[in-house]
Amino acid sequence: MLTKTTDEDSARAQRFRDATLPHLDSVYTLARYMLRDPTDADDAVQECYLRALRHFDTLRGADVKPWLFAILRNVCRVEFGRRSRVVLYDVNAEPDNSESAIPLWQETQDTPETEMLRRLDAETIRGLVASLPDSFREVVVLREIEDLSYREIADVVGAPVGTVMSRLARGRALLREGWLKIMHDGERGAKQQEQIAGEAEESLR
Amino acid sequence: MTCQEANILLHALVDNELDAGHAREVEAHAASCPRCTGLSRDYREMREAMSAPAMSYKAPESLRRRLEAALPAAPSPVTRLSGSNRRSLLKGFGMGSVVSAALAACLVLFVVHTEEDQRIVGDVVSAHLRSLQGDHLIDVKSTDQHTVKPWFNGRLDVAPPVIDLTPQGFTLIGGRLDYIDGRPVAAIVYKRRAHVINLFVSQPGGATGGETIEKLQGFNVWRWAWADLSYRAVSDINAEELQEFGEKLATAVRAGGS
């Protein structure tokens, strides 16, 4: 029996579903952290899957998840950059030293090291992650929540591994500062985080 | 190593991304530096906290439905392998390579058969894929039918005809013992250009009758039964060529070759 074209099309569609749909929650998670808006995340994920389907034939033996992440990241930056409430920018286009030029992103010398970090609840941590600048937030999410290797993160964000490492180091340092701050000031939920974000802006001036 | 140097490498240590040499250096520094010890402890704690399931989001059902509607239609459920069959196929591949796992994930039956037929055809493709991994293809390597045929003696209840079809364009390259439907079968291996054809010969297990050819996503399976034996050939060559192989083989078997 010879295969009909419709059979091949539907077989391809099935192959695509089998390969990509198991990663839907992961893709959606990345979209939520990148766009910080549930509705935008829905739209971005749908656009990501439609694009992925168009380019499915180019995926040969590569890992599906990082491939989907790279497409999603592109969608987020290109399609949602302007209309999102969040200002996204092409982090790769910036000169590398811009990251170290901003005082906030440097580790302060007086952070206490002897004190143990206390476990915060997931919602508070999510708020902290959301307050990170884009270029740090995405590598922190890809590493800590999506559990990608440095190499995979580098492929997703289209930057050298060294750049990924320095962004991750700064992202984590920043996260830790926020973490300690919340510990010291007591947990006051979202308001607290807004205050931190406000203070962070102040210190940028 | 200074704290400055350890600053970034500390993260690579926490992430298990350092080779043994660098890991030792960073650990040695951290051991003598309370600041770096404290930092790596904090980063591990943060990593631990963020790996919690609550840190991930779950795609809403509405999004899932939207995607289902936006993606092109998949084959109707009735023609797909049942869940348990697909799982047993997956097991059969030993998950050796990403490629075969991906193939396994997308096996789709277009021809509706009885449960048993489905299972056997699935087994045939599974055995074929397994044979292509590593050194599973051939136990007795020979292009000489008079070497391959005696090799099966004592290994099987049946004496499969082993026919060299080299003059007809299908080169005999060897044989091996394999299992289909839980029973030992003779696998006779041919090559057509770069393509491998596995011919499984066994005593009939319900599949008797004339020649048929069908497709199990990506692979063609040809079936035929003759004189108490059933023949199943599987390959990624196109249906016409596999049909040709089947006809040549059937002709030779009927003529009492081997």
Side-chain angles (χ1 to χ4, degrees):
Chain A
M1 179 179 301
L2 295 176
T3 317
K4 295 184 193 79
T5 317
T6 50
D7 282 350
E8 272 172 14
D9 283 351
S10 64
R12 183 177 180 273
Q14 188 59 51
R15 222 159 50 232
F16 178 76
R17 281 158 193 260
D18 288 349
T20 59
L21 285 180
H23 302 297
L24 181 57
D25 286 341
S26 296
V27 173
Y28 180 72
T29 295
L30 182 60
R32 283 291 298 265
Y33 279 107
M34 284 192 79
L35 297 170
R36 295 180 283 199
D37 179 87
T39 313
D40 280 355
D42 275 12
D43 293 346
V45 169
Q46 178 166 349
E47 177 59 24
C48 164
Y49 269 76
L50 291 178
R51 274 193 207 186
L53 178 67
R54 283 202 292 279
H55 300 290
F56 189 42
D57 297 327
T58 64
L59 176 76
R60 285 256 173 260
D63 252 356
V64 178
K65 199 159 94 166
W67 178 72
L68 285 171
F69 285 171
I71 296 173
L72 177 80
R73 182 179 182 272
N74 233 10
V75 169
C76 289
R77 283 175 43 237
V78 177
E79 304 288 322
F80 293 82
R82 264 166 301 173
R83 63 182 170 101
S84 168
R85 273 172 252 149
V86 177
V87 183
L88 293 167
Y89 51 95
D90 187 352
V91 292
N92 294 337
E94 290 175 47
D96 252 354
N97 61 5
S98 71
E99 287 170 11
S100 52
I102 298 170
L104 175 69
W105 298 348
Q106 285 176 350
E107 272 190 65
T108 49
Q109 294 305 305
D110 57 353
T111 34
E113 278 93 34
T114 47
E115 189 181 8
M116 291 279 280
L117 277 189
R118 199 175 65 240
R119 187 66 65 97
L120 302 178
D121 64 281
E123 201 194 325
T124 309
I125 304 174
R126 282 206 289 236
L128 276 174
V129 174
S131 71
L132 291 175
D134 291 336
S135 60
F136 303 148
R137 190 171 66 249
E138 67 181 3
V139 292
V140 165
V141 171
L142 288 170
R143 178 64 204 144
E144 308 288 36
I145 297 165
E146 305 285 12
D147 203 29
L148 261 51
S149 70
Y150 286 5
R151 179 73 258 162
E152 289 171 320
I153 297 171
D155 288 345
V156 171
V157 304
V161 170
T163 307
V164 169
M165 288 170 74
S166 70
R167 284 183 194 162
L168 185 61
R170 293 185 183 285
R172 275 185 179 149
L174 203 52
L175 202 58
R176 179 172 171 275
E177 276 180 39
W179 200 298
L180 289 168
K181 205 161 213 167
I182 287 183
M183 272 172 56
H184 290 153
D185 300 353
E187 291 172 47
R188 270 181 265 146
K191 267 189 185 167
Q192 175 71 41
Q193 287 150 36
E194 275 165 29
Q195 192 188 329
I196 287 172
E199 284 170 14
E201 267 181 41
E202 292 257 332
S203 73
L204 278 173
R205 287 186 195 123
Chain B
M1 182 174 286
T2 64
C3 287
Q4 190 76 36
E5 289 165 334
N7 188 32
I8 284 181
L9 290 181
L10 208 56
H11 294 274
L13 181 72
V14 170
D15 292 319
N16 289 323
E17 293 260 2
L18 282 185
D19 58 76
H22 282 97
R24 263 197 306 277
E25 274 185 52
V26 180
E27 276 165 353
H29 166 77
S32 64
C33 171
R35 179 180 176 274
C36 288
T37 304
L39 283 175
S40 63
R41 184 199 57 218
D42 285 358
Y43 293 143
R44 280 182 218 279
E45 165 64 23
M46 283 160 51
R47 183 160 168 64
E48 173 81 24
M50 280 195 276
S51 68
M55 288 297 294
S56 296
Y57 292 90
K58 198 165 164 28
E61 258 323 297
S62 57
L63 174 62
R64 217 171 264 276
R65 277 198 302 274
R66 258 170 73 186
L67 276 181
E68 284 289 335
L71 294 175
S76 64
V78 69
T79 57
R80 297 195 58 200
L81 283 169
S82 70
S84 63
N85 272 348
R86 296 180 75 226
R87 267 195 299 281
S88 66
L89 276 179
L90 277 166
K91 243 182 266 161
F93 294 130
M95 304 304 284
S97 75
V98 177
V99 176
S100 59
L103 275 169
C106 64
L107 283 175
V108 176
L109 254 191
F110 293 111
V111 188
V112 183
H113 284 294
T114 64
E115 278 280 309
E116 191 188 9
D117 278 354
Q118 264 193 14
R119 195 183 62 238
I120 291 175
V121 174
D123 262 15
V124 165
V125 172
S126 176
H128 176 70
L129 277 169
R130 209 166 45 227
S131 77
L132 301 178
Q133 290 183 7
D135 296 324
H136 300 306
L137 186 60
I138 294 168
D139 290 333
V140 52
K141 185 177 179 178
S142 174
T143 55
D144 181 2
Q145 62 199 51
H146 303 296
T147 306
V148 177
K149 185 175 166 61
W151 182 84
F152 285 111
N153 288 344
R155 290 183 163 90
L156 285 170
D157 298 339
V158 296
V162 179
I163 297 165
D164 186 11
L165 293 170
T166 304
Q168 286 92 342
F170 300 93
T171 313
L172 174 70
I173 61 168
R176 72 172 188 285
L177 213 58
D178 212 318
Y179 289 85
I180 301 288
D181 198 22
R183 282 183 298 194
V185 299
I188 302 157
V189 188
Y190 295 86
K191 257 201 159 159
R192 169 81 155 188
R193 300 185 303 275
H195 305 276
V196 169
I197 302 170
N198 268 297
L199 173 68
F200 298 102
V201 184
S202 60
Q203 284 186 312
T208 50
E211 291 181 47
T212 60
I213 195 155
E214 66 195 74
K215 199 173 180 86
L216 190 64
Q217 181 59 37
F219 296 94
N220 288 302
V221 181
W222 171 86
R223 287 196 296 169
W224 178 59
W226 179 260
D228 276 349
L229 291 176
S230 70
Y231 298 79
R232 295 184 187 89
V234 56
S235 178
D236 60 345
I237 57 171
N238 63 53
E240 287 81 3
E241 281 185 285
L242 191 65
Q243 184 81 50
E244 185 193 337
F245 169 82
E247 282 163 12
K248 301 254 157 81
L249 178 84
T251 307
V253 170
R254 283 200 197 91
S258 98

